[in-house]
Amino acid sequence: MESALTARDRVGVQDFVLLENYNSEAAFIENLRRRFKENLVYTYIGSVLVSVNPYKELEIYSKQQMERYRGVSFYEISPHIYAVSDNTYRAMRTERKDQCILISGESGAGKTEASKKILLYYAVTCPTNDCMAALGDRLLQSNPVLEAFGNAKTLRNDNSSRFGKYMDVQFDFRGVPVGGHILNYLLEKSRVVHQNHGERNFHIFYQLLDGGDEDLLKTLGLERNPQNYHYLVKGNCPRVSSISDKNNWKVVMKALCVIGFSEEEKLLNIIAGVLHLGNTQFGEGEEGETYITTETQITNLAKLLGVDGSALTEALTHKKLTAKGEEMISPLNFEQAMSARDALAKAVYGRTFSWLVEKINQSLAVKVQTSIILKASSVIGLLDIYGFEVLQHNSFEQFCINYCNEKLQQLFIELTLRSEQEEYETEGIAWETVQYFDNKIICDLIEEKHKGIISILDEECLRPGETCDVSFLEKLEDTLGGHPHFVTHKLANGKTRRVMSREEFRLLHYAGEVNYNVNGFLDKNNDLLNRNLKEVMCQSDNQILSHCFRREEVMDQKRPEMAATQFKNSLMKLMEILMSKEPSYVRCIKPNDAKQPGRFDEVLVRHQVKYLGLMENLRVRRAGFAYRRRFEAFLQRWYKPLCPETWPNWHGRLVDGVSTLVNHLGYKPEEFKLGRSKIFIRFPKTLFNTEDALEEKKPEIVNSLLCMCLCFFIRFIKGFIYRHEEYCPVNEYFLDHVRYSFLKNLRKNLPKSVLDKNWPTPPPSLVEASEYLRMLHMRNMVMKYCRRVQPEWKKQMVQKVVASEIFKDQKDSYPQSVGRLFLDTRLGISVSSLSDGMFVLHMPSEDNKQKADAVLQCNHVIELVTKLAMMASKIDYVNISPGSIRFAVARGKEGIIDFVRGSEMKVAKGKRGHLLVVSQWLF
């Protein structure tokens, strides 16, 4: 715990609730800045972790660091992402309730890196086996795949997630990760066809061109230069200094292999197909009809997408209309054809991305189907979703992203308030009402049925007649005019009009004001693909595309939901998922826009502190008490040296010990409350005074501990000197230590099998006990071994015991024979169907030169053969032959016995060297 007064001056407080001036935003940011300058990038607000991106590698993520936080109380050591990870995992195990970790922050703040570190922590520290280790690998390797297809370089972040991701990690009753599942939200499909200056398309396009080998590019009809592709030149940023597309290509290909992906060829065909689609150009005829001018592109495109080239050409230049039950073909003009091409590119890429997530989910699915594991399983969810965005030009995507953040903020405040209230109720302390801004008014403004922005947008998209983005803006003004959180150029005052375009509307979000330009809202919300393009794609022989474009979709006359409504519905389901779990929070902050280590931009940080709602969260936490700890931690781990009655040990009830301690320290009644299991301290100053008293007391504590150590050392030496005497107060400590050490060593070095006769040498005082323990352990191992013995092995062991009794030390071949399996196939019996007493024992051998069977005669052959068959469990191996029996003689030769009936019993040499056995007739 960063407790010294000098440390507080230098690095601030590690928990914002301990800020004296907790209502001051300046004090909040100053505490962040102090810690950032000392490379302390993590700070708590109660149980919320605030993380500042250092933009450099810090030596705080090693396996040793993971072990340091494993199983340790949340507040016991300095704030860390591993502390949140471990606390969430232990809460899931002990409370048997699903958990979730919500990671938020703007692009470049480190959300994706935070989720990676959490997954890595679970992969390294959770119990596992070979099968589950493979699952851990797949969980980790899903990240580079999703980043390649879902991330892009933006003005604010070189590796910006352009989709939202929620991942469930499922654990069995032992706490072993057994499965996972990913939900993806609102992929920014518009990036496929357009990027702002200085930005890039999705990483995978550049990785393919830079990392793919020459043969692959030739097969795909591609060239290495990204500038040759229309969909990659819009941002004029083919290379990024912080990214190695070639190396990342190798990482992605390896990750696909680990996940168990076997369809790289079909997937890469689609990616290349999107690039060729972007290079498909159109011309315009004299009568306004449109035709394709790049036939080579269509040829490549048809091959890669597995579709008919002429059908694709027709679908890109014409559309099908249905009027009064009749189908009509209408040519597209130049603008419409370009839009159809781009719509197809966005649809192909967007649906392929969803298919890819589905494939990853199949690889992460729970493979163990035992009912015990499924009944007792628990889940930890990870939400890595886009942060609040305020760009120079904000469009439909930013509107959806910021709506998402409004919903998360609403959930955040609600759950934080609820958890605070529940803690006070559990501890029996009166709850004080907290005043806070309820952003439900903004959520309703966006999502309310019939009157919300999304409903108005849908209506305008569906309204017959001429509709456009401007008419949508006018409809907003008519419906929402006068709302305190909505304004347009027309509705604004003179000052606001000067900074607002006539094509914009402004929303006053909980995090601040954002102007949205309506241009493109209707097209992006419609997100419709011409029916004839769908028909072409659903006939593709590329299995990925045929899966993404179903024939039922073409036949279904029902209009699909608009993009914003789809997003709203998926967001509602996400809220239900999160509400059903116990939440933990990671709030990520970027310290500067230049991604430079050590640089702290206070204006930028203040903006993020505001829109992340951190001050509001702090006020909720500080509404009652700044500090709360369990009695055991407060008394035993920290402050008991400050009171003579509690030092060195308190043997009574913990609550009485804490009461004794705080009374000794002079706490006033208004400064603290004692709950059922925790102490609550209202003011940080009270805690700081206690901390400073502990700092002053430390030299005295050290001296006291040294004296105690010296006393123990002297006692230990005396015990060693008198170790051979009877147990007495002089040597009891030493002898107890020796016994404890022996038992601890024995536990680590117990024999692993009944054949291992090693046993640690006991001290004289434990000889008899050691012998009893050795005997018990041996019996336990024998019992465990016997329980594992299968019936077949038991039969083998019985045979080996009998063989030992008969042949051991009596026959030279015994050692070689007894070590092998006694095979059932080594014995077979043949008899004739007549009344003779002949029978043959077949004795198979691996060596043909030594192979020979025994031909025997007995007057009681039926009785003898029956007993042999039963003793050897060979009833199914008795062969009764009506005519002749073949048998093996020495050196691989074969003999034959012929059986016939006659007047008298005799054995003679027959024809062709056969043995002839004559059996008497029976009347």
Side-chain angles (χ1 to χ4, degrees):
M1 193 172 184
E2 296 154 10
S3 55
L5 185 61
T6 53
R8 282 202 302 274
D9 287 341
R10 188 180 77 254
V11 302
V13 294
Q14 66 176 9
D15 191 335
F16 280 109
V17 297
L18 297 178
L19 278 176
E20 285 286 355
N21 191 1
Y22 69 92
N23 278 312
S24 168
E25 190 178 75
F28 188 101
I29 293 169
E30 175 60 18
N31 191 60
L32 267 185
R33 187 193 64 78
R34 284 184 185 177
R35 296 179 63 77
F36 179 75
K37 293 297 182 183
E38 296 291 331
N39 288 327
L40 298 169
V41 296
Y42 295 119
T43 312
Y44 290 139
I45 306 177
S47 59
V48 176
L49 181 71
V50 180
S51 169
V52 183
N53 194 338
Y55 292 121
K56 64 181 178 181
E57 292 293 326
L58 298 177
E59 300 298 320
I60 58 172
Y61 302 109
S62 63
K63 189 172 182 181
Q64 289 75 16
Q65 285 285 344
M66 293 182 186
E67 291 299 327
R68 179 171 175 245
Y69 282 88
R70 189 177 182 181
V72 177
S73 177
F74 188 66
Y75 297 105
E76 196 166 316
I77 48 181
S78 54
H80 202 291
I81 189 76
Y82 293 159
V84 175
S85 307
D86 188 75
N87 190 64
T88 302
Y89 177 75
R90 284 189 291 118
M92 176 201 71
R93 295 292 314 277
T94 56
E95 298 171 17
R96 291 292 174 194
K97 185 168 183 181
D98 291 347
Q99 307 285 315
C100 63
I101 302 176
L102 281 63
I103 308 170
S104 58
E106 77 169 48
S107 182
K111 300 186 299 297
T112 301
E113 286 302 312
S115 67
K116 287 181 187 176
K117 286 178 171 60
I118 293 169
L119 284 176
L120 184 61
Y121 181 83
Y122 294 146
V124 172
T125 62
C126 290
T128 188
N129 53 38
D130 290 343
C131 178
M132 299 313 153
L135 171 69
D137 287 342
R138 292 195 293 272
L139 277 170
L140 294 174
Q141 293 301 325
S142 66
N143 276 315
V145 175
L146 291 173
E147 286 182 16
F149 288 85
N151 288 22
K153 192 267 183 197
T154 66
L155 293 176
R156 297 190 171 193
N157 183 6
D158 290 350
N159 187 33
S160 176
S161 297
R162 305 319 298 163
F163 70 105
K165 180 178 71 174
Y166 174 81
M167 172 184 282
D168 267 338
V169 183
Q170 190 170 359
F171 298 82
D172 69 9
F173 67 100
R174 300 161 298 179
V176 176
V178 293
H181 188 268
I182 297 170
L183 296 175
N184 61 295
Y185 297 91
L186 193 70
L187 178 74
E188 190 186 34
K189 292 184 294 185
S190 61
R191 183 168 294 272
V192 175
V193 300
H194 178 79
Q195 309 89 44
N196 294 325
H197 186 78
E199 298 190 346
R200 296 208 309 179
N201 208 321
F202 294 101
H203 292 323
I204 188 61
F205 294 110
Y206 307 92
Q207 291 173 0
L208 171 59
L209 296 183
D210 203 15
D213 60 43
E214 294 295 340
D215 290 340
L216 174 62
L217 295 185
K218 185 176 180 181
T219 302
L220 299 175
L222 298 176
E223 301 172 4
R224 288 219 181 269
N225 188 358
Q227 298 296 97
N228 292 341
Y229 299 97
H230 182 69
Y231 284 161
L232 304 184
V233 299
K234 301 286 184 70
N236 194 26
C237 185
R239 297 278 185 270
V240 181
S241 59
S242 64
I243 294 176
S244 172
D245 293 312
K246 183 177 292 186
N247 290 341
N248 289 343
W249 167 260
K250 295 175 184 176
V251 172
V252 171
M253 290 299 106
K254 180 183 176 183
L256 287 172
C257 182
V258 171
I259 292 170
F261 196 82
S262 60
E263 293 147 304
E264 291 93 338
E265 180 183 345
K266 301 180 185 69
L267 181 61
L268 296 179
N269 281 353
I270 294 172
I271 299 305
V274 171
L275 293 178
H276 285 296
L277 191 56
N279 281 9
T280 301
Q281 300 298 315
F282 301 92
E284 196 168 15
E286 293 180 359
E287 297 181 4
E289 74 280 8
T290 304
Y291 58 91
I292 291 175
T293 60
T294 49
E295 290 298 329
T296 304
Q297 298 296 341
I298 287 293
T299 303
N300 286 332
L301 195 53
K303 175 186 171 185
L304 293 169
L305 300 185
V307 298
D308 180 78
S310 58
L312 180 60
T313 299
E314 176 73 9
L316 285 171
T317 54
H318 295 76
K319 66 177 177 181
K320 285 184 180 179
L321 300 173
T322 303
K324 296 181 181 180
E326 291 188 13
E327 195 173 82
M328 301 170 56
I329 303 294
S330 172
L332 299 176
N333 62 33
F334 183 83
E335 298 295 333
Q336 290 172 330
M338 295 284 281
S339 296
R341 179 200 67 181
D342 291 348
L344 179 60
K346 290 187 290 184
V348 166
Y349 192 87
R351 296 188 188 201
T352 300
F353 182 78
S354 297
W355 173 88
L356 187 61
V357 173
E358 186 181 316
K359 291 294 289 185
I360 292 174
N361 283 335
Q362 290 172 12
S363 78
L364 299 179
V366 177
K367 299 298 189 294
V368 182
Q369 294 298 323
T370 64
S371 59
I372 295 176
I373 288 179
L374 291 177
K375 285 179 182 176
S377 63
S378 301
V379 163
I380 294 179
L382 288 178
L383 180 66
D384 170 12
I385 205 159
Y386 12 62
F388 197 84
E389 287 192 354
V390 187
L391 308 179
Q392 188 172 1
H393 177 85
N394 301 287
S395 187
F396 178 79
E397 291 81 10
Q398 281 67 46
F399 170 76
C400 291
I401 287 170
N402 293 343
Y403 163 50
C404 173
N405 277 267
E406 285 287 355
K407 295 295 290 182
L408 289 172
Q409 173 68 6
Q410 188 181 26
L411 181 78
F412 178 50
I413 293 295
E414 182 180 340
L415 293 181
T416 303
L417 279 169
R418 188 176 74 182
S419 64
E420 282 289 295
Q421 186 169 359
E422 285 176 354
E423 182 172 32
Y424 286 141
E425 289 174 355
T426 300
E427 293 294 324
I429 293 175
W431 166 257
E432 299 177 10
T433 304
V434 179
Q435 298 298 324
Y436 68 96
F437 170 65
D438 186 355
N439 69 331
K440 182 178 183 298
I441 186 174
I442 306 173
C443 293
D444 289 345
L445 170 65
I446 296 171
E447 67 188 16
E448 194 173 7
K449 285 185 178 180
H450 309 303
K451 295 189 294 183
I453 294 174
I454 291 176
S455 290
I456 296 169
L457 179 59
D458 284 355
E459 287 175 13
E460 199 63 15
C461 288
L462 294 171
R463 184 168 63 84
E466 289 295 322
T467 60
C468 63
D469 297 316
V470 174
S471 66
F472 161 60
L473 182 60
E474 292 171 350
K475 187 72 173 290
L476 287 179
E477 290 171 337
D478 292 342
T479 309
L480 303 175
H483 193 287
H485 291 268
F486 175 85
V487 69
T488 65
H489 183 276
K490 177 181 176 181
L491 300 173
N493 57 34
K495 183 179 179 181
T496 303
R497 284 183 180 181
R498 285 195 291 271
V499 295
M500 276 192 75
S501 161
R502 294 180 183 275
E503 298 171 335
E504 289 180 336
F505 66 91
R506 174 180 292 178
L507 293 185
L508 279 66
H509 289 281
Y510 77 92
E513 300 173 347
V514 183
N515 292 349
Y516 299 100
N517 192 302
V518 295
N519 287 332
F521 259 65
L522 265 64
D523 284 342
K524 290 175 181 178
N525 189 48
N526 247 322
D527 196 26
L528 290 179
L529 192 63
N530 290 342
R531 180 179 155 196
N532 43 340
L533 280 172
K534 288 182 183 178
E535 289 176 350
V536 172
M537 297 312 298
C538 73
Q539 295 174 28
S540 169
D541 58 19
N542 181 308
Q543 284 90 343
I544 298 176
L545 291 176
S546 62
H547 177 86
C548 294
F549 293 86
R550 300 294 180 93
R551 294 180 185 275
E552 307 87 71
E553 183 183 356
V554 177
M555 303 300 295
D556 190 2
Q557 297 298 317
K558 185 180 177 182
R559 186 183 180 93
E561 288 180 330
M562 301 292 181
T565 298
Q566 288 181 34
F567 183 65
K568 180 182 79 172
N569 293 339
S570 63
L571 205 53
M572 295 296 184
K573 291 177 182 177
L574 176 62
M575 294 301 118
E576 290 176 10
I577 291 172
L578 299 179
M579 286 290 287
S580 69
K581 295 174 171 54
E582 286 295 314
S584 300
Y585 303 95
V586 179
R587 300 305 211 198
C588 298
I589 291 176
K590 57 190 294 187
N592 62 79
D593 273 328
K595 299 179 275 291
Q596 292 180 357
R599 180 175 162 186
F600 191 89
D601 184 340
E602 291 193 16
V603 174
L604 178 65
V605 172
R606 183 178 294 109
H607 176 66
Q608 294 169 85
V609 166
K610 183 177 181 181
Y611 77 62
L612 285 171
L614 300 184
M615 295 302 298
E616 217 144 29
N617 178 233
L618 177 55
R619 282 192 286 273
V620 167
R621 181 75 181 195
R622 278 293 302 270
F625 298 86
Y627 174 92
R628 73 282 309 265
R629 289 293 181 276
R630 299 190 71 82
F631 293 147
E632 181 185 17
F634 185 81
L635 178 67
Q636 307 286 28
R637 293 190 189 134
W638 296 112
Y639 303 118
K640 66 180 180 179
L642 298 178
C643 174
E645 295 178 62
T646 59
W647 175 256
N649 291 301
W650 173 263
H651 298 291
R653 292 194 313 156
L654 287 173
V655 64
D656 295 334
V658 172
S659 180
T660 301
L661 173 59
V662 297
N663 286 334
H664 177 79
L665 293 173
Y667 281 23
K668 296 177 182 177
E670 67 271 15
E671 292 181 316
F672 76 101
K673 291 277 191 227
L674 295 181
R676 295 188 175 95
S677 65
K678 295 180 181 180
I679 179 173
F680 292 77
I681 297 176
R682 190 176 297 276
F683 309 116
K685 187 175 181 180
T686 305
L687 180 66
F688 292 155
N689 289 338
T690 307
E691 281 282 313
D692 295 339
L694 183 62
E695 285 296 315
E696 293 175 7
K697 190 82 173 176
K698 278 182 178 178
E700 182 182 331
I701 297 170
V702 171
N703 289 333
S704 175
L705 290 173
L706 286 174
C707 289
M708 291 171 62
C709 290
L710 183 60
C711 290
F712 277 120
F713 182 69
I714 293 171
R715 190 176 172 188
F716 192 82
I717 294 297
K718 281 185 177 181
F720 176 77
I721 295 171
Y722 293 99
R723 67 188 182 280
H724 298 302
E725 302 294 327
E726 289 294 323
Y727 190 83
C728 64
V730 175
N731 63 11
E732 63 179 357
Y733 179 77
F734 178 81
L735 292 179
D736 287 345
H737 174 74
V738 168
R739 289 167 177 169
Y740 172 77
S741 299
F742 170 73
L743 292 174
K744 190 175 181 181
N745 178 55
L746 179 61
R747 182 184 178 187
K748 294 180 180 177
N749 296 284
L750 286 170
K752 299 295 190 294
S753 75
V754 293
L755 299 178
D756 184 358
K757 303 303 181 185
N758 292 320
W759 190 262
T761 304
S765 60
L766 284 180
V767 170
E768 186 178 357
S770 173
E771 185 58 28
Y772 276 117
L773 289 171
R774 188 192 66 77
M775 184 174 62
L776 287 171
H777 182 63
M778 182 62 67
R779 286 180 179 176
N780 188 43
M781 286 195 296
V782 169
M783 186 169 60
K784 285 183 177 179
Y785 182 82
C786 291
R787 285 175 179 169
R788 294 198 304 267
V789 172
Q790 300 297 320
E792 182 58 34
W793 279 103
K794 185 176 181 181
K795 176 182 166 185
Q796 282 281 324
M797 292 169 72
V798 171
Q799 293 178 12
K800 296 292 178 70
V801 170
V802 174
S804 175
E805 293 173 352
I806 298 173
F807 295 107
K808 190 174 182 183
D809 300 326
Q810 303 291 323
K811 192 165 180 63
D812 291 345
S813 61
Y814 171 78
Q816 292 79 23
S817 177
V818 79
R820 301 178 182 180
L821 287 173
F822 285 8
L823 301 180
D824 289 344
T825 54
R826 295 202 200 282
L827 180 66
I829 305 171
S830 293
V831 296
S832 77
S833 60
L834 304 182
S835 61
D836 57 272
M838 304 292 292
F839 65 97
V840 177
L841 295 180
H842 300 283
M843 307 293 290
S845 171
E846 289 84 358
D847 186 356
N848 288 332
K849 294 181 180 179
Q850 301 297 322
K851 182 176 180 181
D853 296 337
V855 182
L856 304 171
Q857 194 273 336
C858 177
N859 291 334
H860 306 285
V861 67
I862 291 177
E863 180 181 345
L864 178 62
V865 169
T866 300
K867 288 183 176 180
L868 278 173
M870 290 178 65
M871 290 167 63
S873 300
K874 290 293 184 178
I875 295 173
D876 295 333
Y877 287 80
V878 176
N879 173 45
I880 301 175
S881 176
S884 61
I885 296 176
R886 295 177 179 272
F887 65 98
V889 296
R891 300 189 179 277
K893 295 181 180 179
E894 187 179 66
I896 299 176
I897 306 175
D898 293 325
F899 295 91
V900 297
R901 287 190 174 95
S903 58
E904 61 178 339
M905 173 70 186
K906 67 176 181 179
V907 178
K909 188 175 182 181
K911 298 177 181 179
R912 301 188 299 277
H914 294 195
L915 188 66
L916 178 66
V917 176
V918 181
S919 176
Q920 284 184 306
W921 289 94
L922 296 178
F923 300 98

